[in-house]
Amino acid sequence: MIGQDTVQGFLEVLSSKAPVPGGGGASAIGGAMGNALGQMVANLTIGKKRYADVEEEIRGLLEKMEGMQQAFLQLADEDARVFAPLAAAYSLPAGTEEEKAYKEQVMEENLLAASLVPLEIMEKAAQMLDILEVLGEKGSKMAVSDVGVGVQFIRTALTGAVMNVYINTKSMKDRRKAQELNGRADKLLEDGIRQADRIYGAVLEKLR
């Protein structure tokens, strides 16, 4: 499981010829990194007299992030899990009409599953951007640069995961479902990039 691996171990497998982890898993790990930086900012804010008026709010955000951290790691594992049956489906025989129909059914099921995982990574990334925006405004000023770094990790999780949505929906026969998934991904991408760049720009202004 990725969540139990070391950073070095994960990078070694990621850089190898092994089919997983790949871009989807790396995107989820990017989300986990951004989340961890958000938690750090929250922990540096809590307990400081200067931020006593926002402590309850920051504690609530920290609790949410703690749950999301595990979710990002689970999504990294899930991305690898759904890829295996999809890869196997490409090798199914298609010599007869019956075999073709079965292969198409299996392919469609696995393409859908492989699209939903990165879409969920994108949804978690969008939630993290909302949290990081609050931390950038109300969190410890000494750690505002870490908010900026966290935003960039979350932005990468978002823009990376969307590619895994598109590459799978592109092969789906059910174009209506594919367009539905693409539409959700398009909206998350557009809104997320705009929000991430806004937060990052605000952080830069505070640092200069």
Side-chain angles (χ1 to χ4, degrees):
M1 292 180 63
I2 290 173
Q4 298 175 352
D5 205 352
T6 63
V7 173
Q8 181 177 347
F10 176 76
L11 293 177
E12 286 176 356
V13 179
L14 184 63
S15 64
S16 73
K17 294 180 180 179
V20 292
S27 296
I29 294 300
M33 294 287 284
N35 174 286
L37 283 165
Q39 289 188 61
M40 183 183 76
V41 175
N43 280 313
L44 288 170
T45 305
I46 292 169
K48 303 290 177 62
K49 290 182 180 179
R50 182 177 182 180
Y51 304 104
D53 58 331
V54 296
E55 178 159 334
E56 185 176 348
E57 181 180 5
I58 301 300
R59 283 189 182 278
L61 295 179
L62 179 58
E63 186 176 342
K64 287 182 181 178
M65 285 188 286
E66 288 170 348
M68 291 172 68
Q69 178 80 346
Q70 190 59 37
F72 275 120
L73 294 176
Q74 289 173 345
L75 285 166
D77 279 328
E78 185 67 6
D79 185 74
R81 189 191 69 77
V82 298
F83 179 79
L86 176 58
Y90 279 105
S91 300
L92 288 172
T96 67
E97 290 303 314
E98 189 175 272
E99 287 175 340
K100 287 179 183 178
Y102 177 71
K103 181 175 183 177
E104 184 174 316
Q105 177 190 336
V106 173
M107 284 288 297
E108 199 73 3
E109 291 172 354
N110 287 293
L111 285 167
L112 176 59
S115 301
L116 291 175
V117 174
L119 193 59
E120 191 172 350
I121 294 171
M122 295 182 73
E123 290 169 347
K124 286 287 184 293
Q127 293 171 29
M128 269 306 305
L129 286 174
D130 289 339
I131 293 174
L132 288 169
E133 186 153 24
V134 175
L135 291 172
E137 295 169 354
K138 301 180 181 181
S140 172
K141 297 186 187 306
M142 296 296 292
V144 70
S145 62
D146 297 296
V147 172
V149 178
V151 164
Q152 292 300 81
F153 272 111
I154 295 299
R155 191 184 194 279
T156 298
L158 186 77
T159 58
V162 76
M163 297 184 192
N164 285 60
V165 176
Y166 293 153
I167 197 170
N168 290 305
T169 56
K170 185 177 182 178
S171 298
M172 290 174 64
K173 298 293 184 184
D174 185 346
R175 297 316 301 162
R176 180 178 295 181
K177 186 64 176 179
Q179 290 306 318
E180 176 196 328
L181 296 173
N182 285 346
R184 288 167 59 188
D186 292 344
K187 185 72 165 59
L188 286 164
L189 182 67
E190 181 181 354
D191 292 349
I193 287 177
R194 186 185 303 114
Q195 185 177 14
D197 290 349
R198 182 177 69 245
I199 301 167
Y200 186 70
V203 169
L204 287 179
E205 286 300 314
K206 291 178 181 179
L207 294 175
R208 289 173 177 167

